[in-house]
Amino acid sequence: MRGLRARGAFELDMRWRGGRLESAVLRSLKGNPVRLRAAQRLSVVSSGSPVKVEQPEPAVAAFPTRAGEVYELKP
């Protein structure tokens, strides 16, 4: 899936294999914080550096973003 627009000014590409998330790319259009529902923990990298991901509630990943930045997500 490519180019999904998400609430909060994000664009998301996702890659699935065997019914499970393999990887995703999130583009922040306005620099808003992001909250994602994810069945498994996610690791997030932006510009080669890891991004601290918080889990404010079960099955939710949250982290700050910067406008124009691209974030690579992997389970």
Side-chain angles (χ1 to χ4, degrees), residues 15-65:
R15 186 176 202 158
W16 299 84
R17 182 173 296 210
R20 301 194 77 160
L21 179 67
E22 186 174 82
S23 65
V25 174
L26 178 87
R27 287 173 206 76
S28 177
L29 304 176
K30 292 190 177 180
N32 293 325
V34 67
R35 288 175 57 100
L36 300 169
R37 294 223 178 262
Q40 54 219 39
R41 270 203 169 318
L42 297 174
S43 65
V44 180
V45 175
S46 179
S47 300
S49 298
V51 175
K52 183 178 179 187
V53 178
E54 296 184 6
Q55 190 172 10
E57 57 188 85
V60 173
F63 56 94
T65 69

Side-chain angles (χ1 to χ4, degrees), residues 2-17:
R2 297 188 73 140
L4 174 70
R5 293 292 179 127
R7 184 181 308 159
F10 299 103
E11 187 175 285
L12 186 64
D13 300 340
M14 293 190 290
R15 186 176 202 158
W16 299 84
R17 182 173 296 210

